[in-house]
Structure formats: C-alpha cells, structure tokens
C-alpha cells in the first residue's frame, strides 16, 4: 500500500489504459478520481475502484476547456481534500496524411492531447505547490519520438507533452513535485484486437520482444513513477515499447 491516503486524478480513465492505471493506483491504497467525458462510464469505473476499499469520485469534464478544468479541480479538492497525484491520460486520434488532414482534426487532437495536459498540469501544480508535494505523470507515445505516417497531429501532440514535462519538472522540483512521462509503444487494446493478423505480424516485426504491450505494462510504469521508489526521478520519459524504439 505504497500510496495509502494519497489522492490521485487520472484523466480519461473510464476505460482502456486510464482505467487500468486507476485500478493499479487503487490497489496501492490511493483514493482515485475518475474523469471522463462520459459520466456514466466514469461512475462505473469508480465503483470498481471503490470495491478495493478506497474513496472514489467520478467527474465529467473536457480537458481542453479551461472553465471545465478549473471547475473540476475545485470540486476534486473540495470533496477529496487534496491532490497528490495527476496522471494526464486523456487523449484522442484523428489520423490522416498531412496533405489531407483537416484543420479541425489538427486542432482537436492538439487541444485535447497537449492543451488538455497543460491545463490539468497547471491546476494541479497550484494545489501541489502549496502542499510541497506532488507526482505528475503524462502519457506520451513512441510516435512522439519516431513519428508515424498519418499521425502528424498525434505525433506533434505527444512530442509536445515531453517538452512540457521537462519544463514543468524544472520549474517545480523545488516544491518536491516530480513530473515525468510514460511513452507506450503498440499496446494491445480493443482497437488493436480488430486488426487483421497480417497487420499485427508486421507490427511485431519491429518489436524486439516480439509481442504487443499490455495495458498492465503501461500502468506498472506509471505506478512506479508516482511511488516513493521514484522520488529522485523527474523530467524523464519511460519508454514502454518492447524495444521498438531505443
């Protein structure tokens, strides 16, 4: 129970990687806030976390809208009493080749993935700086380092998260706030499950470990970074990609 009595917010955590992260934190004793644009799904995940014996709260807000972010953080601190951990997980894709990419698709991905991380981090450090303690982890991506055809907007947003992580780490280290990122590679999710076997085989040719990652692999890296074991680690990116990028 390394995180007992800590309060953790995981954005975009009603399902997928975010849900797995939230459950991992709850198993270590953290009281968790589940946020999503779907309150119904967030409440379902909150109930699963509560079954592990921790306090939970489900909130609905759009991470790209400043007013909604401010209202959500005010509610979280008001009801939970504090905020020790922030995991910036909320993100979307709108893929397309650069020449065909619509401006709206560029703006939407940048606003949710990068601006959303900025807005949530900005509100979190206000609370954490007063308490002189905080752990922030943002979910980046291997494509933020390698690039990927058809994902100019997504790659740019994830590369931006890495730069934001390093700068925030420098600015708030004196307040005992560590800021890191986790960059997943190809992770087995509902989206990859429907891919043809030939496509999966081609993907795995570029992965030295010979398999797709699991959501648990990502959650384990996040759990480490927010735990006391990583107290001397800040401004870093942990790559969880099976060796496809070194």
């Amino acid at each position: 129970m390394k995180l007992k009595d800590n309060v953790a917010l995981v954005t975009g955590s009603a399902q997928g990687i975010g849900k797995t992260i939230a459950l991992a934190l709850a198993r270590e004793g953290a009281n968790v806030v589940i946020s999503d644009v779907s309150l119904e799904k967030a409440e379902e995940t909150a109930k699963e976390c509560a079954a592990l014996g921790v306090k939970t709260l489900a909130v609905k807000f759009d991470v790209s809208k400043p007013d909604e972010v401010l209202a959500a953080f005010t509610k979280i601190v008001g009801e939970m009493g504090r905020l020790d951990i922030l995991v910036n997980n909320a993100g979307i894709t709108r893929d397309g080749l650069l020449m065909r990419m619509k401006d709206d698709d560029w703006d939407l991905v940048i606003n949710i993935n990068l601006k959303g991380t900025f807005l949530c981090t900005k509100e979190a450090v206000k609370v954490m700086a007063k308490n002189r303690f905080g752990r922030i982890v943002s979910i980046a991506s291997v494509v933020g380092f390698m690039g990927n055809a058809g994902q100019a907007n997504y790659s740019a947003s994830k590369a931006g998260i890495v730069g934001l992580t390093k700068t925030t780490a420098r600015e708030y280290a004196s307040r005992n706030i560590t800021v890191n990122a986790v960059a997943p590679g190809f992770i087995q999710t509902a989206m990859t499950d429907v891919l043809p076997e030939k496509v999966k085989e081609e993907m795995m040719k570029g992965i030295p470990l010979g398999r797709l990652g699991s959501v648990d692999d990502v959650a384990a890296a996040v759990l480490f970074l927010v735990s006391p074991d990583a107290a001397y680690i800040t401004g870093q990116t942990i790559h969880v990609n099976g060796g496809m990028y070194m």
Side-chain angles (χ1 to χ4, degrees):
M1 304 293 280
K2 293 181 178 181
L3 305 178
K4 184 172 174 57
D5 297 328
N6 280 201
V7 174
L9 164 62
V10 185
T11 66
S13 52
Q15 56 192 344
I17 292 174
K19 178 179 179 178
T20 304
I21 292 170
L23 287 166
L25 299 180
R27 290 189 192 98
E28 285 296 331
N31 299 316
V32 293
V33 180
I34 307 301
S35 87
D36 206 86
V37 290
S38 169
L39 183 59
E40 184 179 353
K41 289 183 178 179
E43 288 174 338
E44 291 174 1
T45 298
K47 288 179 181 177
E48 289 187 47
C49 291
L52 297 170
V54 300
K55 183 178 179 181
T56 64
L57 175 67
V59 292
K60 175 185 177 181
F61 69 97
D62 184 334
V63 296
S64 69
K65 297 182 178 178
D67 291 345
E68 291 190 23
V69 172
L70 176 59
F73 273 76
T74 300
K75 178 178 181 178
I76 290 165
V77 176
E79 295 195 24
M80 303 296 277
R82 57 190 293 163
L83 180 65
D84 305 287
I85 297 166
L86 168 65
V87 181
N88 289 304
N89 170 75
I92 63 166
T93 59
R94 292 292 186 276
D95 296 349
L97 294 175
L98 183 65
M99 288 186 65
R100 300 175 185 171
M101 185 171 288
K102 298 177 181 178
D103 290 357
D104 287 347
D105 287 340
W106 172 272
D107 291 342
L108 186 62
V109 171
I110 295 296
N111 283 340
I112 292 178
N113 296 7
L114 182 55
K115 184 180 179 181
T117 297
F118 158 70
L119 291 174
C120 290
T121 299
K122 184 178 179 181
E123 292 304 320
V125 295
K126 291 178 184 178
V127 180
M128 294 173 177
K130 290 180 181 178
N131 296 332
R132 301 193 74 84
F133 177 83
R135 299 288 180 260
I136 299 173
V137 178
S138 299
I139 304 301
S141 171
V142 66
V143 304
F145 293 83
M146 294 177 61
N148 194 34
Q151 289 194 311
N153 48 5
Y154 187 76
S155 298
S157 72
K158 294 302 185 177
I161 285 174
V162 174
L164 175 62
T165 293
K166 292 181 179 181
T167 295
T168 310
R170 288 186 180 276
E171 291 184 359
Y172 289 92
S174 64
R175 296 302 181 102
N176 194 29
I177 300 171
T178 64
V179 189
N180 294 289
V182 171
F186 290 139
I187 305 300
Q188 187 169 357
T189 62
M191 186 166 59
T192 58
D193 286 342
V194 298
L195 293 174
E197 285 303 316
K198 286 187 177 180
V199 174
K200 291 182 185 179
E201 289 173 7
E202 284 301 312
M203 289 169 62
M204 285 188 281
K205 284 181 181 178
I207 304 173
L209 286 182
R211 67 172 178 87
L212 299 181
S214 72
V215 290
D216 291 320
D217 292 325
V218 180
V222 173
L223 183 59
F224 167 67
L225 288 172
V226 303
S227 76
D229 297 330
Y232 198 55
I233 298 174
T234 195
Q236 305 302 312
T237 299
I238 291 184
H239 293 270
V240 184
N241 59 40
M244 66 178 293
Y245 174 83
M246 300 183 185

